[in-house]
Amino acid sequence: MQSSLEKLRKFFRLEAENKYANTAVIGGLAKILDFWEAEARNEGVSEEIIQLVSSRLRDYHRLTPASRAETLKGVWKRIQGQGDAPLPEPVYQQETVPQPGGHEASPAEEPRPAPKARPQPESAPAPSRRPAPARSSAYAGAQSAQTPIALQASLTVLQGVGPRNAEALKKLGLYTLGDMLYNFPRRYDDYSRLKPIRSLVYGEVVTVIGQVQNLYERKARGGKMSVIECIITDGTGGLRITWFNQPWLMNRLKEGMPIAVAGKIEQYLGRLVMNSPEWEPVETEHLRTNRIVPVYPLTANITQNWLRKQMEQVVRFWAPRLSDPLPETIRASAELLPLGEAIQQAHFPDSQETLKAARERLAFDEIFYLQMGVLRQKREYQSVVGRIFDVPEDWLNERIAALPFPLTGAQKRALDDIIVDIGSGRPMNRLIQGDVGSGKTVVAALAAMMITRAGAQAAIMAPTAILAEQHFKNFSRFLLTEGLLSEGQIRLLTGDTANGEREAIHAGLASGEVKVLIGTHALLEDPVQFKDLQLVVIDEQHRFGVEQRAALRRKGEHPHLLVMTATPIPRSLALTLYGDLDVSVMDEMPAGRKPVSTFVLTPQERERAYSLIRSQIRAGGQAFIVYPLIEESEKMEDLKAAVDDHERLSKEIFPDLNLGLLHGKMRPDEKDRIMAEFRDRKYHILVSTTVIEVGVDVPNATVMLIEGANRFGLAQLHQLRGRVGRGGGEAFCLLIPDRADSAENERLRAMTETNDGFRLAELDLQQRGPGEFLGTAQAGHVTSLKMASLTDIGLIEKARKHAAELFARDPQLTQPEHALLAEAFARFWGQGKGDVS
């Protein structure tokens, strides 16, 4: 493991030990980015991982401790998932401007007025090679045929920035003048609208300015913890500030010093307080300027005042000289600022209104290019010819009538969509999204019937062997009982398939005898060759990478594609990430399926949950008990872990019952075995981590008990809840948070109020961001979004509308007025092509 990733792991572990209080690093966990990004790039860590870590940590201070825990676990899980993948070599580019020497001002000094950077002759001596800056390349307009070449100049062309300061700035990802234009502030201090202390309100996140008074240090927890307390006053009142385990602040803070503190207003013993806020000294001139002042990320030996002055001289001179790749017609119609003005106002806004307009323009660009990319993907996929399959109405009605249950209206609409797609002459490219138990499998089976009726082949790929086995049984029930296929024409292929059977399957596929193949990643192996593959069905599509899905499609000649997900996707996210797919929403549950009764219990009420489990098991049911972590060593204090509690539950709580254990560190075949044994009722209770979120159908399971429920997203909790009650009877979901007084517990109440997965998904997106919904394919572009919010449905719809209109006029961006746009678009997508979804 690279040194930078090992350091990251240690910081994450320390943060967990500190109960995710954002105290593992002085000034907050985001401070590690000041040095970590550069070190990670130098070690060849993938840019996707670097951007993921950066985006999560920059907003880390805004999250609740529970959300912080989930965020760090998710980041580390992503890193571990890519740990064995080959890492790209660093990319180098040559500077076109020499690095003149000169006086290097200390960041603590006030640099004298500096001349603007000047383009140098092309005959300038070639500099040494270094890693190319990554920050600006993510933004449209960062560099183009009409952008001044001097923006590629090293920062040493600035007066006051010599080699020493330039090296320090590299730790912030700043290599060139162009990088500085896109080094946006992490926050702003609005000195034009300062709020007096007497007007502060509990719960708001604010920046407060005052003078330090009554500064002192005390010890807590038997001397193990240092607590720094002070009062800051502004003439209207006083506010108590507290920092934990930062004793060095006694040497940094002085009584009478004016400081700005940023954080959440809380309450203690009836008085307003602020705990562990970010802080920095206030430059006296800012108090008199009555303006909005940017606050930038810093690194060692770089002060805020010095960096702000360097930023100002670059932004003021070069932002107006940027070429704007967005056509004037779009800017006018969408009421957007020109790019140069937007960048200038994003750094040094004249008002809150212009700052909002600037951020909207920059966010629009990100969503616009993302939309253009998914539209291009959709066009490319539909530009080829797909085989036409006719579906006679009488034939379909007979198949539907023979089913053991009636179809819902949503299932019928999805089938209608599929029939139109496979009869259009273009390859189907459709996403079916619907809750667990909404009946996606029968829709996919009917689609397979439509294809095999004409003699072609279908492939169904699932993420786990046991889920593939379940699909095999369901498809067999539908296809064989109808007499459409014989037993040898529908086969199952997983990693456990015996060699002899595997060879027979390969031969049957090549000859065309096998019409439907269901399996796992084993379907992607080279020996698996179809004679006439015309339908690809991918279940839980976000569990597969882009290349895996593409590899399966390449085994046929432009086959129809149907992907399915049980994760309800918020509309704004669907528009952004799945814009290349046609979407069918299945928002109805089959008749007779009762909603799962959901309750939030306190830890002290855990025995009530155990009593319910006992009563359900006596009635013939089974139960899941789910934990957020695997081992006690990974926990925060008081957090239950599946491995440790399995033994306690077996010996102390349910000694007369059989308990199984399932977690993510087991081998895949071992997980499949345990899950199959639970399905076959060898266990009364399955103690598990979230690996059962997507898994086998256990109709007999009637209780889902989730420990540490406040650490899960609502969408994930809804997925877990969908694992019970599938037999049609009454079922229960019991949520036990870590603490009875947790602020997160109110969020859990939404689970008791609705069974609407789409409503819960919207709440999850607002509260926790898009990470809950992303697979490996989408994360790269989404985590690179620096200004856009995937909860801003209005902006997303506006960007999509304009992208679609432009795409309809000039899909290849070949018109002369779109030349700059084509360059910026290619940079945003890295010159590559591939699915987002």
Side-chain angles (χ1 to χ4, degrees):
M1 179 180 290
Q2 292 100 319
S3 172
S4 58
L5 295 182
E6 180 63 25
K7 289 179 182 177
L8 197 66
R9 186 188 68 82
K10 291 179 180 179
F11 282 123
F12 284 10
R13 179 60 59 85
L14 180 59
E15 181 66 8
E17 292 173 356
N18 291 347
K19 297 186 176 182
Y20 299 99
N22 202 19
T23 56
V25 179
I26 302 172
L29 196 58
K31 290 291 185 182
I32 69 171
L33 298 177
D34 295 347
F35 65 85
W36 185 85
E37 289 178 320
E39 182 179 348
R41 286 194 178 97
N42 288 338
E43 291 182 345
V45 175
S46 72
E47 190 63 27
E48 178 181 335
I49 291 297
I50 294 174
Q51 293 296 335
L52 173 67
V53 172
S54 300
S55 65
R56 293 298 186 266
L57 295 192
R58 291 193 199 287
D59 287 332
Y60 186 78
H61 67 286
R62 304 180 188 276
L63 304 177
T64 64
S67 295
R68 291 171 181 172
E70 193 70 15
T71 294
L72 296 190
K73 286 187 289 183
V75 168
W76 191 248
K77 185 176 180 181
R78 284 284 313 287
I79 291 173
Q80 287 179 311
Q82 297 193 12
D84 296 328
L87 297 172
E89 292 295 322
V91 180
Y92 296 87
Q93 76 175 32
Q94 289 190 340
E95 298 171 3
T96 57
V97 181
Q99 301 181 19
H103 169 69
E104 179 176 4
S106 166
E109 298 175 8
E110 293 289 333
R112 57 185 180 272
K116 310 302 180 185
R118 299 178 300 276
Q120 300 297 315
E122 293 186 3
S123 58
S128 59
R129 297 175 68 189
R130 58 161 178 77
R135 181 180 301 272
S136 62
S137 62
Y139 286 89
Q143 174 187 338
S144 72
Q146 297 182 17
T147 298
I149 193 66
L151 286 180
Q152 298 181 50
S154 166
L155 298 181
T156 53
V157 301
L158 295 173
Q159 186 74 17
V161 179
R164 180 166 55 89
N165 288 343
E167 283 299 316
L169 291 172
K170 287 179 183 179
K171 296 177 181 179
L172 297 173
L174 303 179
Y175 296 86
T176 68
L177 299 180
D179 291 334
M180 295 189 76
L181 290 179
Y182 291 93
N183 177 45
F184 295 114
R186 57 186 173 89
R187 66 176 174 86
Y188 303 85
D189 288 334
D190 190 350
Y191 293 93
S192 67
R193 294 196 316 195
L194 282 178
K195 194 167 188 178
I197 291 177
R198 69 181 177 190
S199 301
L200 297 177
V201 177
Y202 169 76
E204 63 182 346
V205 178
V206 293
T207 298
V208 179
I209 291 177
Q211 288 188 322
V212 175
Q213 305 290 337
N214 304 325
L215 177 68
Y216 63 93
E217 178 183 12
R218 62 181 176 86
K219 298 294 183 180
R221 294 187 179 178
K224 295 181 179 179
M225 175 182 288
S226 168
V227 180
I228 306 295
E229 292 186 347
C230 73
I231 304 293
I232 64 169
T233 61
D234 65 353
T236 70
L239 179 67
R240 181 177 297 276
I241 310 295
T242 304
W243 289 275
F244 301 98
N245 283 331
Q246 300 183 50
W248 52 86
L249 291 180
M250 290 298 295
N251 296 324
R252 300 280 301 279
L253 297 169
K254 305 295 181 185
E255 291 196 8
M257 174 190 293
I259 65 172
V261 293
K264 185 177 182 180
I265 300 298
E266 302 181 62
Q267 202 168 26
Y268 179 71
L269 298 179
R271 299 186 61 182
L272 296 183
V273 299
M274 189 180 286
N275 293 320
S276 301
E278 293 187 35
W279 75 277
E280 59 188 20
V282 173
E283 297 87 354
T284 306
E285 73 263 23
H286 292 145
L287 293 175
R288 299 192 297 266
T289 58
N290 198 36
R291 57 174 281 191
I292 302 172
V293 176
V295 179
Y296 294 96
L298 296 176
T299 187
N301 302 318
I302 297 294
T303 67
Q304 188 65 236
N305 196 36
W306 181 86
L307 179 58
R308 190 180 290 127
K309 291 180 181 299
Q310 303 303 322
M311 293 295 304
E312 186 165 18
Q313 65 169 319
V314 173
V315 170
R316 296 290 187 203
F317 184 80
W318 290 109
R321 290 162 171 76
L322 278 180
S323 303
D324 194 333
L326 204 62
E328 173 59 32
T329 54
I330 294 180
R331 290 205 307 270
S333 177
E335 299 180 331
L336 300 171
L337 294 179
L339 179 62
E341 183 180 353
I343 288 179
Q344 188 161 345
Q345 290 296 324
H347 285 282
F348 301 100
D350 295 331
S351 66
Q352 290 289 344
E353 290 71 26
T354 58
L355 174 58
K356 180 181 178 181
R359 293 181 68 87
E360 180 177 352
R361 163 60 204 267
L362 297 169
F364 178 94
D365 282 3
E366 292 177 338
I367 298 297
F368 181 83
Y369 289 108
L370 196 55
Q371 292 289 344
M372 287 287 291
V374 295
L375 288 171
R376 178 191 63 182
Q377 289 170 194
K378 184 173 184 177
R379 181 177 184 273
E380 289 178 351
Y381 194 67
Q382 293 188 336
S383 64
V384 297
V385 176
R387 186 184 304 181
I388 295 176
F389 290 87
D390 293 320
V391 183
E393 186 174 353
D394 292 343
W395 178 88
L396 181 62
N397 289 336
E398 288 179 10
R399 303 287 80 75
I400 294 175
L403 294 173
F405 45 77
L407 296 183
T408 65
Q411 287 173 312
K412 292 177 181 177
R413 289 191 295 272
L415 282 175
D416 290 341
D417 292 339
I418 291 171
I419 291 170
V420 171
D421 289 347
I422 64 176
S424 68
R426 298 190 305 269
M428 175 170 64
N429 198 31
R430 182 164 296 277
L431 167 69
I432 294 182
Q433 60 173 118
D435 274 353
V436 173
S438 61
K440 298 182 296 297
T441 301
V442 68
V443 171
L446 287 167
M449 290 184 194
M450 299 172 192
I451 299 299
T452 58
R453 173 182 173 273
Q457 295 170 303
I460 295 88
M461 186 164 67
T464 65
I466 195 160
L467 190 54
E469 180 185 344
Q470 178 176 298
H471 282 323
F472 176 71
K473 291 179 179 178
N474 288 332
F475 273 66
S476 296
R477 186 169 74 250
F478 296 137
L479 295 171
L480 298 181
T481 56
E482 286 290 302
L484 298 173
L485 297 178
S486 62
E487 286 195 14
Q489 291 180 310
I490 177 170
R491 303 298 296 267
L492 174 67
L493 180 64
T494 69
D496 294 330
T497 303
N499 288 336
E501 185 180 357
R502 187 182 298 265
E503 292 173 1
I505 291 173
H506 293 164
L509 289 172
S511 69
E513 178 187 355
V514 174
K515 298 300 183 185
V516 176
L517 179 63
I518 300 171
T520 57
H521 297 76
L523 272 62
L524 305 176
E525 296 172 352
D526 289 338
V528 177
Q529 298 296 329
F530 295 81
K531 180 181 180 181
D532 186 18
L533 178 63
Q534 287 298 318
L535 175 65
V536 170
V537 179
I538 298 177
D539 193 20
E540 293 303 331
Q541 63 88 27
H542 62 287
R543 302 284 171 141
F544 297 98
V546 170
E547 286 305 316
Q548 291 171 320
R549 296 195 294 271
L552 185 54
R553 279 198 313 218
R554 285 195 294 267
K555 292 181 180 287
E557 185 176 354
H558 311 311
H560 297 285
L561 175 67
L562 184 67
V563 295
M564 304 189 297
T565 179
T567 302
I569 303 167
R571 183 162 172 262
S572 61
L573 207 58
L575 285 173
T576 307
L577 297 180
Y578 303 101
D580 59 323
L581 296 171
D582 298 307
V583 180
S584 295
V585 176
M586 292 177 51
D587 51 3
E588 297 178 44
M589 299 301 285
R593 180 82 185 268
K594 296 180 180 179
V596 178
S597 300
T598 306
F599 303 92
V600 178
L601 305 178
T602 66
Q604 291 73 27
E605 296 176 302
R606 188 172 284 111
E607 185 55 42
R608 291 178 58 194
Y610 295 157
S611 296
L612 177 64
I613 289 175
R614 291 190 190 96
S615 67
Q616 288 294 304
I617 290 175
R618 282 196 298 268
Q622 292 170 277
F624 291 98
I625 300 180
V626 177
Y627 292 86
L629 294 180
I630 298 173
E631 296 175 344
E632 199 69 20
S633 61
E634 296 184 41
K635 72 177 183 63
M636 287 187 358
E637 190 176 350
D638 300 327
L639 183 59
K640 300 294 182 184
V643 173
D644 301 286
D645 256 27
H646 174 258
E647 183 176 0
R648 181 184 66 84
L649 291 168
S650 300
K651 293 181 178 179
E652 301 176 16
I653 309 300
F654 304 109
D656 55 330
L657 302 178
N658 294 326
L659 277 68
L661 175 64
L662 184 68
H663 59 72
K665 288 190 175 180
M666 290 178 168
R667 299 189 311 274
D669 60 333
E670 190 177 5
K671 286 189 286 187
D672 286 343
R673 177 182 59 80
I674 295 293
M675 199 71 204
E677 289 176 349
F678 182 60
R679 177 197 60 197
D680 297 338
R681 306 186 68 170
K682 291 186 178 180
Y683 302 115
H684 299 100
I685 300 171
L686 183 64
V687 179
S688 174
T689 57
T690 54
V691 293
I692 55 94
E693 176 188 341
V694 175
V696 72
D697 197 354
V698 185
N700 204 50
T702 59
V703 181
M704 171 65 68
L705 169 59
I706 303 175
E707 292 277 4
N710 53 300
R711 305 191 180 277
F712 295 86
L714 295 179
Q716 193 174 26
L717 290 173
H718 184 66
Q719 290 279 294
L720 292 168
R721 176 168 63 182
R723 291 290 127 205
V724 297
R726 298 174 68 83
E730 187 175 19
F732 304 89
C733 179
L734 309 177
L735 308 176
I736 302 182
D738 294 334
R739 298 183 303 278
D741 59 347
S742 172
E744 285 281 295
N745 296 353
E746 190 60 34
R747 182 177 64 91
L748 299 179
R749 301 294 173 190
M751 291 289 296
T752 68
E753 296 167 358
T754 181
N755 273 272
D756 185 342
F758 291 94
R759 171 63 183 146
L760 293 171
E762 291 285 354
L763 290 173
D764 231 10
L765 180 61
Q766 295 169 13
Q767 296 170 353
R768 297 163 66 87
E772 292 283 314
F773 308 94
L774 300 183
T776 56
Q778 303 97 331
H781 282 97
V782 171
T783 55
S784 70
L785 301 180
K786 294 181 172 61
M787 288 291 187
S789 168
L790 292 178
T791 62
D792 191 344
I793 185 67
L795 180 66
I796 289 171
E797 289 183 331
K798 180 163 74 170
R800 180 174 177 82
K801 169 180 174 289
H802 287 286
E805 290 175 352
L806 177 64
F807 196 83
R809 295 194 307 269
D810 185 14
Q812 299 297 334
L813 299 179
T814 55
Q815 297 177 9
E817 63 269 27
H818 296 152
L820 289 177
L821 183 61
E823 291 182 17
F825 173 70
R827 279 195 305 277
F828 182 87
W829 283 88
Q831 300 288 354
K833 298 180 181 180
D835 298 335
V836 173
S837 55

